[in-house]
Amino acid sequence: MRTFSSLKQIAFPLVAGLAMVGIVEAKNYPAARSLAGQLSPQGLTPSADPGGLGKARDQIQKILTGMEQSQVAGGPGANDLLETAYEMFVPQVGPAHRNAAVGTLTNMWIEARALGAFDEQNRFTGKITKGADTGQAVVFEYIVPMNLAPKFSRDVANVRLVAPSRKRAEGTKPTDRELAYVNTLKVIEREMSGLKSLASIENGPKMNGLGQTKAEAEQLWKEQLKLAGDKAQQKPSIVIQSRLASTPSKRNDYKWVVQAEVTNMSMFPTEVEVECIFLGTTDKYRQNYVMGQPKQKLQMRAGQAEKLLFETPMNEGAYKGRADDYEKLSKPERAGSQASYRGAIIRVNHPKGTAATFATDPVMLDLLQENAEVKLDTLPKLYLDAKTWPPLSTGK
């Protein structure tokens, strides 16, 4: 039987051009743990803090240095470092605030790199060594002017880095894009005021990445659905990005966890089913098997992006035991065997057909082809009863 286990797994970035690695146990991410100490928000201010931009700048400079040093050292990549640090070590920051901060900090890091604002030790200096503004210092300025967002006077989510020649001129009116960002800051303010502690997050109303409760999001979706009419029944255009979010550890009950970001690129709302197909590989004969196929229903407005988490239905020990049983390993062989995660396929299902697919290794998509030598449906589903397992093929 053909297998794919010998091929190197490929991980795809969430931000173009940045390295992506899976989030694993905290002890394996000293860089993320170290950076997390610089990520705590400085808090909203009742009125604009005259020295707020300077305080935010001091915080950002340290963060940019950490991002660059990790990127140059071979990983985690700068963006993934931020994601990992926030998710694992700064849980008090809500999803809307975290997403905005990761976005602004990543943009500042990219711009700082383009301007050559790091020294030979990969420390952020703020001095421009590339381009028309060479010799000058970079400028930190607010994305939304303080008269429109005074409470965010020292928050990194409202700061950008630019060359002096691109600095906003005094008295310039905010652009439409900047005005739209005011809404994002309002969502963050609401999130921060309503989530005073991690306990209140867990016990209070659940909110999505836009700071909306499930009921609010559903109401907006229904309104779009009514306006779209029959168009909403069409198969949507969906884009998927995914990564391994966590390997087995005590904190996740020794399961594998995958994060998928699903974006509706259509100009109409839709309802889809997102399926995560976990694949493992047996220890002796290296045969692929299905670890689980969890699914989640998703109502999406036009242009909406959602992040979903999927976990394997069983833990690492259970997969090892079942794979050993499937291969009928001897006692000595069982003593040295281990459960191996192969990767995941994300499939978006719609009443009119498959809307999108993604795999952590593109080769795994061969399993979905009609003319494939080995099809997904023929693989043993070791998370189900042993009576459903097909005969083992040893390749002999």
Side-chain angles (χ1 to χ4, degrees), residues 38-65:
Q38 309 297 335
L39 297 179
S40 295
Q42 300 189 53
L44 301 184
T45 55
S47 58
D49 180 354
L53 186 59
K55 295 174 183 176
R57 180 195 62 223
D58 292 343
Q59 181 181 13
I60 291 167
Q61 289 175 337
K62 296 174 183 177
I63 296 172
L64 294 180
T65 291

Side-chain angles (χ1 to χ4, degrees), residues 272-275 294-298 308-310:
V272 295
E273 178 187 70
V274 184
E275 177 183 18
K295 303 173 182 179
Q296 294 187 41
K297 292 283 188 180
L298 202 56
L308 305 175
L309 287 177
F310 295 92

Side-chain angles (χ1 to χ4, degrees), residues 194-207 213-214:
L195 308 178
K196 296 180 180 179
S197 67
L198 185 59
S200 67
I201 294 176
E202 295 173 345
N203 298 326
K206 302 300 180 182
M207 294 188 290
T213 65
K214 182 179 180 180

Side-chain angles (χ1 to χ4, degrees), residues 326-389:
Y326 184 59
E327 294 195 305
K328 297 180 173 59
L329 299 188
S330 64
K331 189 173 182 178
E333 288 175 324
R334 288 171 183 262
S337 69
Q338 61 182 7
S340 297
Y341 169 74
R342 171 71 179 87
I345 298 173
I346 308 296
R347 182 163 58 186
V348 179
N349 304 312
H350 184 267
K352 293 193 175 180
T354 302
T357 56
F358 176 95
T360 51
D361 182 342
V363 174
M364 293 195 298
L365 292 176
D366 287 352
L367 294 167
L368 305 179
Q369 301 301 315
E370 285 293 331
N371 59 349
E373 182 181 343
V374 178
K375 294 184 179 180
L376 178 66
D377 291 341
T378 67
L379 296 183
K381 296 179 173 61
L382 297 194
Y383 66 101
L384 298 179
D385 190 282
K387 294 178 181 179
T388 68
W389 300 349

Side-chain angles (χ1 to χ4, degrees), residues 102-124:
V102 169
T104 56
L105 288 166
T106 299
N107 287 337
M108 284 189 274
W109 172 74
I110 291 172
E111 184 67 15
R113 273 196 143 197
L115 296 173
F118 294 96
D119 63 17
E120 294 180 354
Q121 284 73 46
N122 305 309
R123 295 173 300 196
F124 177 78

Side-chain angles (χ1 to χ4, degrees), residues 40-41 56 61 224 228 247 260 263 266 288 312 389 396:
S40 295
Q61 289 175 337
Q224 271 202 12
T247 55
T263 304
S266 307
N288 291 299
T312 53
W389 300 349
K396 296 180 179 179

